[in-house]
Amino acid sequence: QVQLVESGGGLVQAGGSLRLSCAASGSIFSINAMGWFRQAPGKEREFVAAIWWSGGYTDYANSVKGRFTISRDNAKNTVYLQMNSLKFEDMAVYFCAADSSIGRSRVRIGEEYYYWGQGTQVTVSS
């Protein structure tokens, strides 16, 4: 089993930055990929970014490319999401997800991930 705990959410002005963290525990050896998804009130969950646990492959949604950076620290079993130049449209609950076997062609599909964190709220003000 794998447990995921997100942190780092909060209130930030448009144009500002936040760094989200996702700490994994349990059967870490079984994870091959981790991703970030977000869901705003009344909207569907959408893919944000993903990273392979080893190898360093990353993928980003077009809406966040150039602004967000996903990274990992294997020693700490933690994945980060550095969010810069935040926009009002980025306001959402951000979820960390992990899976033991997911192909790169399916990494943007939330239903492919088995493990999920509880979410952390990101609020953007003007």
Side-chain angles (χ1 to χ4, degrees), residues 6-20:
E6 304 98 330
S7 62
L11 175 64
V12 63
Q13 289 187 319
S17 300
L18 281 176
R19 188 193 192 196
L20 305 183

Side-chain angles (χ1 to χ4, degrees), residues 10 18 23 42 52 58 68 80 92 101 112-113 117:
L18 281 176
W52 256 241
T58 59
F68 291 10
Y80 305 95
S101 181
E112 294 293 317
Y113 294 80

Side-chain angles (χ1 to χ4, degrees), residues 29-44:
F29 67 91
S30 67
I31 297 175
N32 82 313
M34 297 182 67
W36 287 96
F37 293 78
R38 66 188 183 187
Q39 186 168 23
K43 296 184 178 180
E44 296 182 349

Side-chain angles (χ1 to χ4, degrees), residues 100-122:
S100 61
S101 181
I102 185 169
R104 294 182 180 183
S105 64
R106 307 290 294 177
V107 73
R108 297 187 174 198
I109 309 300
E111 287 75 12
E112 294 293 317
Y113 294 80
Y114 186 80
Y115 301 103
W116 291 84
Q118 82 289 344
T120 184
Q121 176 71 50
V122 173

Side-chain angles (χ1 to χ4, degrees), residues 36-72:
W36 287 96
F37 293 78
R38 66 188 183 187
Q39 186 168 23
K43 296 184 178 180
E44 296 182 349
R45 178 182 60 196
E46 65 174 343
F47 169 79
V48 177
I51 188 170
W52 256 241
W53 198 245
S54 62
Y57 173 82
T58 59
D59 192 25
Y60 296 91
N62 289 336
S63 60
V64 305
K65 283 184 177 179
R67 299 189 299 119
F68 291 10
T69 302
I70 187 170
S71 62
R72 56 177 165 81

